[in-house]
Amino acid sequence: MGRQLSFKIFRYNPTLKDNKPHIDFFQIEETPRLNVFTALFKIREEQAPDLVFDFVCRAGVCGSCAMMINGRPTLACRTLTSDLPDTIELFPIPFFKLLGDLSVDTGVWFRQMSEQVESWIHTKEEFDPTAEEERMDNALANKIYETERCIECGCCMAGCATALIYPNFFGAAGLFRIGRFFIDPRDKRKNQDWFELVSTDEGVFGCIGMMGCDDVCPKDLSLLEMFAYIRRKMSGIGLRKRQTVKKDAIF
Amino acid sequence: MRLLTSDVLVIGAGLAGERVAIACASEGLDVTILSLVPPRRSHSCAAQGGMQASLGNSVMGEGDNSTIHWLDTVRGSDWGADQEVARIFTDIAPAAMREMAHFGVPWNRVKGGPQEVFIKGKKTTIVEDFEKEGLITARAFGGTAKWRTCYTADGTGHSVLYTMDNMAVQLGITVHDRMEALRLIHADGNCIGAIVRSLRDGEILAYVAKATVIASGGYGRLYGISTNAIINEGTGSWLALQTGIVPLGNMEAVQFHPTGLVPTDILVTEGCRGDGGLLLDVDEYRFMPDYEPEKQELASRDVVSRRMMEHIQKGKGVKSPYGDHLWLDLRHLGEHHLRTKLREVYDICMYFIGVNPIQELVPVRPTQHYSMGGIRVNKDGHAYNMEGLFAAGEVSCWDLHGFNRLGGNSLAETVVAGMVVGKYVADYAKKSALVADTSLAESFASKEIDKMSHLLNNSGRENVYALRDEIAEVLSNNVGIFRTGGDLENAVARIKDIVSRTGKVKVRTRSTGLNPEISQALRIEGMAKQALVIAAGALARTESRGAHTRLDYPDRDDENWLNRTLARWPEDADEPVLTYESVGILDLPPGERGYGGGKHIPMKATVEEYNARVYEDQKANGLIDTSEPIGSRLPEKAWREGSPGKEVK
């Protein structure tokens, strides 16, 4: 017989009148290689049919199932119960709008972020279907792919202290997205455009450097390195800008 | 009830749906996309391996062209595909890849000079042409004559979907996520939109549009054991079947992917075998060359899956608490390859089953993966029998894949069909008027409201989750890789019983708002009825073709079955009505595939005689006239010269 697991799960359904946030307790028996995905479905199907949570791919690639598992934001589908103690506490990730129980509205936030950072290739070139594609060094293609592996799960925002100070903070997800386009030569935005985008408190200089994002990112993205890279680049641009202004003031 | 209008309504925000939406928005049309989940969580994101397009930049793809791609596709389909649609697809695929590169996809590129690769189990050095350096490269996939599958590591779907959604954001396309279309609004064979339920709070809304496009993916979850995301429950194809007049095509054509992970059923990409991964049995013996000396691990998916099951049935499987499986050996590819080009696979093995593929064998077995069938549409993507309704991507039966789809062809199809169908949808919407018939919308909405009230208040005792599991059990056991008349008769009888019991499902929770149980309960009728369509189609088809393997009818029978199954479910009927139509104009005459064994019974008619009746035959089954005549995109006998077709602009 497997362990008896106790699940303490945050419950709140804002669409029901008189429903108040509370904790529900469930017990299930652990089976080999049980993960939180399977456990939650078991609880829903056998004990709490109205329990709300989000899963899509259940393979760690779609980013739907981030939740607080014993206090840490992570992907529920690939969290094995065997790595957890007998009591498992599940809460929705903070920062995002709560939809109900463990489900939060990451989709709307990430769409807004994409609009805010203009998450697309900025170019005036029209696509010519008869022309050969623009060449790219394979190493650069790999580098861009590395910066595109974010799955928008929201764990970084859930682990972010700065997001609590600046509600419009792009967060690691937004800055990583900016970095993805910054290194892509197909994007013709100029240094000045990038500077305007990230030089505010909402951008890279708002970060207070706790790097909770880097600790919890389930895809092990190089968030720390990307922050440092963008800061260095932007400081350089900012410095040149300042020197120009000073020169103008003196002469 | 709120009624929202737009020029074009797209149901589904995966690659096909978003590409259609982009085609329409680029023409200045107002587009609304509905999606069960945020667009970037759509199942397209889970596609790993890549997209087939005959760019021919890699030295291993040298001399490739759209005709060779077309030949592979038609043969792969076991001649079940519409050859003209396959031609449209293979002609456009190269430009589609370049367009995605222009939008931002970081395709892997050709690196000039010698490269070490694995081909047919042997380490080999290929020398890439420096002239081609920096162009989009390709990897090997099953059932192809050339290396043709364009990729970004093993996150191709993710990368292309993110790029596509970036385009949608740039164009300001409206997306309403967590919305489920429950019913099409239609009258007299004209579709004017859909009745939709918000999964956030249960609100029922009407979305009215000049053109409605279904692009909601496959129905793999009907099988329970599937590589598909848990949202792939056939909700989109049900919308069509529910009309009573729009047919679903070839629903019995179900693909089983050779390498689903054991346990968890998560997909392990065909790119693993393309890059040199090998299949081993309990004795760690490489068995595929014995069955398929030429293609070995890289025969088409239906063939590899059958051979694996055959080998397991000979007692050569590896015993496990989760049933017998085989091994996928990736160890020789080395750490660098597995942690770059196959990193998602590495992560999945490590996180989900604790196996390190650098040092250990990966347990795999054939697992339900793809639905070749779906909403029957003409080559423009227009649904049979329903003006104003279109479909694209996996949910459709456009019919590029026939009875077996090649790996890398479906992800490419999403983008190509999105372009092609998107263009016709835009043309259609531009010449149509918006019909905001509120009383018609109300009458369809009331059917859903009545259904919900029935689910809450009936005196039945059926549990929705138990019924769902029963459907999965019957399909998996009786309508799997190997099928027999007896198993299928049993499946039909059992699913008929399940269909009748869906009316007795009682929802235990009383809320119609944010409530996953009632959401599931609203889907169960469609799931059960589509399961019956699959089983009934499989029972009726007394031959073996592609993925449809009847042990009691092992031959491919072109005399009687060179056709497409069409299933309609008339209102108030207890079972679907099956009819059959020609597969389409034949250019490549039916013949041997060159792998997979099996005999085929040739048709007595000549190709010319067959082709002469295609139009009338399809018309009688509900074909809506295409913008250009049938066959116009199929340059006759182009395959003989091996010359490429004309690119469609």
Side-chain angles (χ1 to χ4, degrees):
Chain A
M1 223 179 87
R3 281 192 301 170
Q4 279 298 312
L5 299 175
S6 300
F7 280 83
K8 292 167 69 176
I9 301 180
F10 173 86
R11 304 294 308 271
Y12 175 51
N13 186 337
T15 70
L16 294 178
K17 250 195 202 165
D18 306 326
N19 191 272
K20 291 206 165 56
H22 61 284
I23 305 288
D24 273 350
F25 297 84
F26 304 97
Q27 292 240 317
I28 61 168
E29 192 191 319
E30 187 171 46
T31 48
R33 288 199 173 125
L34 182 70
N35 56 32
V36 176
F37 159 74
T38 308
L40 278 171
F41 269 92
K42 210 170 152 61
I43 291 170
R44 179 194 277 175
E45 290 173 16
E46 292 169 6
Q47 302 182 50
D50 56 353
L51 179 62
V52 183
F53 48 74
D54 293 321
F55 288 96
V56 178
C57 75
R58 59 81 173 91
V61 297
C62 80
S64 300
C65 65
M67 55 185 76
M68 303 298 285
I69 301 179
N70 286 352
R72 272 180 88 84
T74 192
L75 300 179
C77 69
R78 64 178 211 191
T79 301
L80 298 172
T81 56
S82 55
D83 293 334
L84 299 170
D86 297 350
T87 301
I88 299 169
E89 282 187 4
L90 303 179
F91 278 73
I93 51 171
F95 180 75
F96 299 95
K97 184 188 168 193
L98 179 74
L99 295 173
D101 299 344
L102 300 172
S103 171
V104 296
D105 200 350
T106 46
V108 166
W109 188 86
F110 275 98
R111 164 93 184 206
Q112 275 168 0
M113 181 276 278
S114 285
E115 287 167 1
Q116 209 175 348
V117 307
E118 302 190 3
S119 164
W120 55 84
I121 298 278
H122 287 55
T123 179
K124 291 207 171 67
E125 276 170 45
E126 290 286 320
F127 172 66
D128 176 0
T130 60
E132 193 174 74
E133 63 272 23
E134 198 180 317
R135 294 188 186 226
M136 180 182 276
D137 185 57
N138 192 49
L140 177 62
N142 281 328
K143 204 169 147 191
I144 295 170
Y145 175 68
E146 281 304 310
T147 62
E148 203 165 63
R149 292 181 60 248
C150 168
I151 57 170
E152 301 195 347
C153 62
C155 285
C156 57
M157 302 310 294
C160 179
T162 310
L164 300 176
I165 307 168
Y166 303 117
N168 296 325
F169 185 52
F170 296 158
L175 287 161
F176 206 66
R177 180 66 49 80
I178 289 168
R180 181 250 172 271
F181 289 97
F182 190 72
I183 65 165
D184 191 329
R186 292 169 294 192
D187 195 314
K188 307 296 183 207
R189 274 178 275 189
K190 299 198 167 62
N191 280 343
Q192 187 62 31
D193 303 326
W194 296 115
F195 187 77
E196 295 298 328
L197 194 57
V198 302
S199 63
T200 61
D201 284 346
E202 279 72 42
V204 75
F205 295 110
C207 171
I208 56 173
M210 305 289 283
M211 299 319 292
C213 53
D214 197 75
D215 292 342
V216 297
C217 175
K219 299 307 271 190
D220 293 325
L221 301 177
S222 313
L223 301 176
L224 184 65
E225 290 75 7
M226 183 64 92
F227 264 78
Y229 175 72
I230 296 180
R231 277 195 167 181
R232 199 167 64 239
K233 287 280 178 190
M234 291 307 131
S235 301
I237 297 165
L239 207 61
R240 281 198 294 278
K241 203 175 149 191
R242 189 178 140 84
Q243 281 164 347
T244 322
V245 173
K246 270 195 159 175
K247 252 194 323 206
D248 289 350
I250 296 165
F251 301 104
Chain B
M1 180 177 64
R2 286 200 291 154
L3 187 137
L4 286 76
T5 61
S6 54
D7 293 324
V8 178
L9 176 67
V10 180
I11 298 164
L15 279 173
E18 288 213 315
R19 187 63 188 82
V20 168
I22 287 165
C24 295
S26 304
E27 299 271 323
L29 293 162
D30 177 29
V31 185
T32 299
I33 307 181
L34 304 177
S35 176
L36 295 174
V37 296
R40 293 176 189 218
R41 317 236 187 270
S42 303
H43 192 45
S44 300
C45 85
Q48 298 167 353
M51 293 190 174
Q52 278 205 49
S54 57
L55 290 161
N57 293 326
S58 164
V59 67
M60 296 304 290
E62 210 168 31
D64 201 8
N65 61 42
S66 63
T67 297
I68 302 174
H69 185 186
W70 176 80
L71 286 168
D72 285 344
T73 301
V74 173
R75 287 184 182 127
S77 80
D78 228 354
W79 274 267
D82 181 317
Q83 298 191 8
E84 184 182 17
V85 166
R87 177 58 88 170
I88 293 170
F89 164 74
T90 59
D91 283 352
I92 298 179
M97 300 306 115
R98 292 186 181 124
E99 187 188 60
M100 291 315 299
H102 181 78
F103 289 166
V105 171
W107 295 115
N108 277 72
R109 304 296 179 130
V110 176
K111 201 173 155 219
Q115 319 286 333
E116 280 196 344
V117 296
F118 283 88
I119 299 173
K120 292 186 181 173
K122 290 193 187 69
K123 199 173 212 174
T124 311
T125 301
I126 60 169
V127 183
E128 292 286 6
D129 186 353
F130 278 101
E131 296 273 295
K132 302 276 185 176
E133 178 144 311
L135 296 175
I136 299 168
T137 192
R139 59 164 40 131
F141 252 49
T144 66
K146 305 275 182 184
W147 286 22
R148 188 187 293 132
T149 305
C150 309
Y151 62 97
T152 55
D154 60 349
T156 313
H158 169 91
S159 202
V160 180
L161 182 63
Y162 271 50
T163 301
M164 194 71 88
D165 194 52
N166 284 338
M167 289 292 295
V169 173
Q170 184 183 3
L171 289 164
I173 293 171
T174 305
V175 179
H176 291 173
D177 68 14
R178 298 176 189 262
M179 287 286 184
E180 179 167 354
L182 296 176
R183 208 175 268 270
L184 296 174
I185 309 168
H186 63 99
D188 309 320
N190 283 285
C191 178
I192 62 162
I195 299 300
V196 173
R197 179 169 174 270
S198 165
L199 298 173
R200 291 160 183 265
D201 57 12
E203 183 185 0
I204 299 284
L205 307 92
Y207 282 78
V208 173
K210 296 171 184 170
T212 302
V213 186
I214 302 176
S216 54
Y219 54 74
R221 278 286 146 185
L222 296 188
Y223 274 80
I225 298 167
S226 168
T227 65
N228 283 195
I230 63 163
I231 54 172
N232 297 125
E233 295 185 305
T235 50
S237 33
W238 166 237
L239 292 173
L241 187 65
Q242 194 188 25
T243 63
I245 55 174
V246 179
L248 302 183
N250 284 348
M251 290 290 274
E252 67 271 30
V254 181
Q255 178 164 85
F256 291 79
H257 194 291
T259 56
L261 199 63
V262 180
T264 73
D265 315 314
I266 295 171
L267 172 72
V268 179
T269 176
E270 187 159 313
C272 290
R273 282 171 291 130
D275 291 0
L278 305 173
L279 292 168
L280 307 181
D281 66 13
V282 65
D283 307 320
E284 300 192 15
Y285 171 74
R286 187 176 166 222
F287 58 92
M288 276 308 294
D290 296 349
Y291 293 101
E292 296 293 332
E294 178 52 34
K295 292 276 182 187
Q296 307 181 351
E297 275 85 355
L298 287 173
S300 67
R301 287 179 180 173
D302 59 328
V303 172
V304 178
S305 286
R306 269 197 298 275
R307 297 304 197 188
M308 289 170 74
M309 292 311 292
E310 209 178 322
H311 205 62
I312 288 175
Q313 283 166 2
K314 284 181 187 163
K316 292 293 182 182
V318 183
K319 303 270 176 240
S320 89
Y322 308 98
D324 291 3
H325 64 75
L326 294 159
W327 298 117
L328 176 65
D329 185 2
L330 303 173
R331 295 170 300 184
H332 52 291
L333 300 183
E335 178 162 2
H336 178 72
H337 193 101
L338 286 167
R339 300 194 77 156
T340 54
K341 281 189 179 172
L342 295 172
R343 178 169 38 194
E344 296 299 336
V345 169
Y346 174 83
D347 277 358
I348 285 166
C349 292
M350 291 293 276
Y351 278 108
F352 288 90
I353 60 166
V355 166
N356 181 348
I358 299 167
Q359 286 127 20
E360 296 169 273
L361 298 170
V362 180
V364 293
R365 75 170 154 231
T367 306
Q368 194 287 339
H369 179 61
Y370 188 81
S371 28
M372 273 76 76
I375 302 170
R376 179 63 186 137
V377 296
N378 69 16
K379 65 174 173 173
D380 301 343
H382 211 149
Y384 275 31
N385 277 328
M386 187 71 84
E387 288 283 344
L389 180 66
F390 297 79
E394 186 176 351
V395 76
S396 72
C397 182
W398 192 25
D399 203 359
L400 160 63
H401 309 299
F403 276 77
N404 173 65
R405 132 175 119 70
L406 297 182
N409 261 0
S410 71
L411 200 60
E413 178 195 14
T414 60
V415 177
V416 174
M419 293 164 75
V420 174
V421 176
K423 177 184 173 292
Y424 293 114
V425 171
D427 290 349
Y428 185 91
K430 278 195 249 175
K431 63 172 202 241
S432 307
L434 190 73
V435 183
D437 186 338
T438 48
S439 61
L440 188 66
E442 292 283 354
S443 76
F444 277 91
S446 69
K447 291 181 189 185
E448 287 305 319
I449 291 163
D450 291 350
K451 190 172 169 182
M452 278 197 279
S453 141
H454 179 77
L455 287 169
L456 290 175
N457 300 313
N458 77 85
S459 57
R461 286 170 173 275
E462 295 291 346
N463 175 315
V464 64
Y465 299 119
L467 278 189
R468 179 204 61 190
D469 291 348
E470 222 175 304
I471 294 169
E473 188 259 309
V474 177
L475 285 181
S476 290
N477 291 337
N478 293 17
V479 201
I481 294 177
F482 294 120
R483 302 165 177 185
T484 64
D487 282 351
L488 292 168
E489 275 170 22
N490 179 278
V492 166
R494 283 191 62 194
I495 301 171
K496 271 188 188 169
D497 173 57
I498 296 170
V499 169
S500 71
R501 283 153 58 206
T502 57
K504 296 174 191 148
V505 165
K506 171 90 172 202
V507 171
R508 290 167 289 174
T509 42
R510 301 288 304 163
S511 155
T512 56
L514 177 66
N515 178 0
E517 189 187 17
I518 200 164
S519 303
Q520 188 71 55
L522 283 165
R523 285 174 210 138
I524 196 74
E525 180 193 356
M527 293 173 76
K529 287 186 172 172
Q530 290 182 90
L532 187 53
V533 168
I534 296 167
L539 175 62
R541 185 170 283 274
T542 49
E543 65 152 357
S544 292
R545 183 180 298 272
H548 172 69
T549 310
R550 286 285 298 260
L551 293 176
D552 42 355
Y553 295 93
D555 301 335
R556 194 184 90 205
D557 182 355
D558 289 337
E559 171 59 16
N560 294 300
W561 290 103
L562 187 60
N563 59 22
R564 181 177 298 111
T565 309
L566 297 176
R568 292 180 188 79
W569 198 300
E571 216 171 334
D572 302 322
D574 295 330
E575 56 187 16
V577 176
L578 302 182
T579 57
Y580 296 89
E581 66 167 13
S582 317
V583 294
I585 302 282
L586 302 175
D587 185 21
L588 185 69
E592 302 287 349
R593 298 166 91 186
Y595 48 81
K599 277 189 274 186
H600 93 266
I601 302 165
M603 63 174 181
K604 292 198 185 84
T606 64
V607 165
E608 290 70 26
E609 285 163 349
Y610 186 94
N611 287 349
R613 56 171 204 261
V614 169
Y615 176 73
E616 287 308 319
D617 185 24
Q618 295 192 344
K619 195 74 189 156
N621 276 289
L623 172 84
I624 287 181
D625 277 336
T626 44
S627 53
E628 291 171 15
I630 279 189
S632 60
R633 294 283 183 192
L634 195 63
E636 207 182 334
K637 291 178 183 166
W639 54 274
R640 285 210 173 150
E641 289 82 45
S643 61
K646 285 203 185 81
E647 288 201 2
V648 186
K649 303 278 157 50

